[in-house]
Amino acid sequence: MSTGQGNSGKYKWIGTRVDRPDGADKVTGRARFGADFNMPGQLIGRVLRSPHAHALIKSIDTSAAEKLAGVKAVITAQDLPEQPNVIVPAGEMQVNLRDITRNILAREKVLFEGHPIAAVAATSDAIARQAVELIKVEYEVLPHVIDVAEAMKPDAPVLHDHLITEGVKPPPTKASNIAKRMDNAKGDIEAGWKQAEVTIEREYTTQAVHQGYIEPHACLASAAEDGQVQLWSTTQGHFQVRGFVSRLLGIETSQIRVTPSEIGGGFGGKTVVYLEPIAVRLSQKSGKPVKMVMTREEVFRASGPAPGGTVRVKLGARKDGTIVAAECEIALQAGAFPGSPLGPACWTSFACYDIPNIKVVGFDVVSNRPKVAAYRAPGAPISAWGVESTLDILAQELGMDPIELRLKNAAKKGTKTSYGPTFDTIGFVETLEAIKNSAHYKTPPKPGYARGVAAGFWFNVGADSSAAAHVAEDGTVTVISGNPDIGGSRASLALMAAEELGVDYEKVRPVIADTSSIGFNFVTGGSRVTFATGLAVVNSVRDMIRELKVRAAKTWGVDPDAVVWEDGMAKPAGSNVGEFEPLSLAQLAATAGKTGGPINGHAQLNAQGAGPGFGVHVVDLKVDRDTGCVHIDRYTAAQDVGTAIHPSYVEGQIQGGAVQGIGWALNEEYIYNAKGRLDNAGFLDYRMPVASDLPMIDALVVEVPNPHHPYGVRGVGEVPIVPPLAAVGNAVARSINIRMTDLPLSPPRLSAAIDAATPKMAAE
């Protein structure tokens, strides 16, 4: 029997640190990830990719590959139907169907190095690789553009002749690489500047970074003669995979069954499709199951990283620290096709603060890079890097403690955001206070070390979820949902079900069903599963409890309203109902055949009221002035999580997000050469933090319950990647007395900046 202390005695199970249901399988190797699925007679699929950053495809000759012994199918873009110019949701982002089919297999042009052109299915991996090399493509190489600022220039090579900038009046008449301009505002920005006694303005850049999930993209597709398709995929949203395969290949949704594997990381990068439509078409064409797994190099070159971009921030404040005006201009890389996370970048920029006058403008820019994908709080870390760095400069200019400056301007319940909504109950002030009162903040940095502080915000989302609850004959319960578990959500869902039912946690078995076995569920993304799918689970269990009370009422011959459910048992509502012994879940299950048959519960909803999340991070570090290397001594992250359903997994999410943000700040970047080819497509050259690079990340869990969830849940996973970029940058600035404005703060960049400043500093 599991044991655990409830959340300050309020709950029996919620707030406890129980073992996760999938833990034993994962530590013993029994769990099956994407590449672990196999079928008898399966073929291996491989993809031919572009060696050029930008080129016209003049011809593709697959005849030699088709003649190779062992090759069973070869496809090009001609095997995928043309798609309309229509925007559809794709996880946390939006995609254009016309673009996505070209991203999967190039048509008229290749638009980035690694762009897929053709695919083969063969009886072995060696034959498939050989066949790919036999495909002849004639190119006309075109000028390319990689950098977002270069891509915005009027004389830049244009990727799409049809791309006219949206959001500009009157509409331009000439195609460019700027896909969209968007803005939002609040108050009167010009009046705000007139009130300002101190004004700070800076411009910053960031580079594209990859989510770095350990497991590469993988799938296995089996298309039967009757048209039915089975698909196993490592994904954050198997219902979205089904939808994309249906739309892109013209197959009815009911004919496609997608089963999610365990997932070795995603962080937003597995909310889109790359291999799945190709594998299905190859299976249809060959009549055999087709398995496809990306290499690590393919993952870097041809799956979606987070964008880089430029951010210009201007802040105006009174001398007492009151911010009266704020302006931000953001340009983000979309990659080869429009659709960067520009909206979230703009909307989150000043969301932490109650500022009367705000103006935000953003640009979505295409360039010859892989199409970007979601990555934890898409867009928010980039704008926070600019805003929180500028805020730190303002604090130094005013001589204020950086936490006090943020407290003075902090958003609270009733603050109206620049993008429209007014905040309900939020916990930003509580999170700032948690850092202010922490042992870390109360202790001065060690000699030679400097301290940086930054804050971050993410909306969190709800959206569509379905769940079911079934009572087995022995009184145990199965809870079925449809979201891949990437952060311990199975444990959280089971804890809420056990709390509702009043039964032992280990009597509840959470199951993730395939697309044919449960109703629709939106992706595992946006920090939505514990909130939205958790709400569906709670409602399905409550539906089941209603039926359990009906069965108890039948047993006793009373009205169902005369039965209550307490501590896992049906009990008479009062002595006036009659004297009956309580009936346990097991007793009611054992007699279910006599009282009406199986006992189940169901729920489906579009969850509203996801409570926004806020985080505040503080870091102590020092910079080696000889090498430019940064050593982090201490790091503390505080976050309002609403209610921590399973505190260990909440802390793990905060720690993981912080580590990824530190990597973004210090080392990670896509490095392209003069030919537009990626020079660091592997973990040896793409430097992510490892355990020896970091101290323990102390997670301070702040609980300000979300009033729109029965247990007060807020999303957790997105917020912690937002503050680290600026927190690290602010500490580095205070360490070397040089404000770095371009990420990453890698040893070569820091060394160059220190060397450049040394003569001036010596002279001074």
Side-chain angles (χ1 to χ4, degrees), residues 4 8 107 150 197 239 305 519 530 535 679:
S8 303
R107 287 178 184 258
E150 293 295 321
E197 296 172 308
F239 288 88
T530 303
L535 192 56
D679 269 350

Side-chain angles (χ1 to χ4, degrees), residues 377-428:
I382 299 171
S383 51
W385 156 239
V387 170
E388 294 293 316
S389 296
T390 311
L391 207 63
D392 196 61
I393 299 170
L394 178 63
Q396 290 181 303
E397 183 81 14
L398 296 172
M400 286 186 73
D401 177 277
I403 294 290
E404 294 296 340
L405 177 62
R406 287 168 172 83
L407 277 169
K408 190 173 189 65
N409 296 281
K412 309 174 185 67
K413 182 177 181 177
T415 296
K416 182 172 174 57
T417 65
S418 65
Y419 61 93
T422 298
F423 286 134
D424 197 338
T425 302
I426 57 173
F428 185 41

Side-chain angles (χ1 to χ4, degrees), residues 381 384 388 453-457 615-617 635 719-728:
E388 294 293 316
V453 170
F457 162 84
V616 181
H617 293 198
Y635 198 105
V719 174
I721 201 172
V722 183
L725 287 65
V728 170

Side-chain angles (χ1 to χ4, degrees), residues 239 462-470 480-483 517-522 528 531-544 546 600-608:
F239 288 88
D464 297 335
S465 284
S466 304
H470 303 160
I480 303 173
S481 62
N483 284 111
S517 304
I518 189 71
F520 182 86
N521 281 265
F522 191 57
R528 63 171 294 276
F531 168 72
T533 304
L535 192 56
V537 165
V538 167
N539 288 352
S540 72
V541 169
R542 289 179 177 177
D543 188 41
M544 189 172 72
R546 279 193 288 273
N600 305 319
H602 300 87
Q604 50 282 322
L605 51 84
N606 179 272
Q608 305 294 317

Side-chain angles (χ1 to χ4, degrees), residues 222-264:
S222 178
E225 290 78 0
D226 62 0
Q228 295 196 39
V229 171
Q230 294 254 34
L231 187 56
W232 293 262
S233 172
T234 174
T235 175
Q236 292 175 240
H238 46 305
F239 288 88
Q240 276 64 35
V241 170
R242 182 183 68 174
F244 277 126
V245 170
S246 171
R247 290 291 296 265
L248 296 175
L249 300 184
I251 306 171
E252 289 186 4
T253 303
S254 62
Q255 298 294 92
I256 305 168
R257 184 176 190 177
V258 185
T259 303
S261 67
E262 294 293 348
I263 181 169

Side-chain angles (χ1 to χ4, degrees), residues 646-707:
H646 193 305
S648 295
Y649 300 136
V650 167
E651 291 161 359
Q653 288 289 322
I654 294 172
Q655 291 163 333
V659 169
Q660 288 183 309
I662 291 169
W664 196 332
L666 290 180
N667 289 296
E668 295 182 39
E669 61 177 321
Y670 268 39
I671 300 172
Y672 285 90
N673 62 28
K675 294 184 177 179
R677 294 173 182 160
L678 186 63
D679 269 350
N680 60 335
F683 281 141
L684 281 177
D685 298 313
Y686 182 91
R687 182 71 166 83
M688 296 181 71
V690 296
S692 57
D693 293 327
L694 299 162
M696 177 68 179
I697 306 294
D698 291 319
L700 302 180
V701 175
V702 178
E703 294 185 286
V704 179
N706 175 11

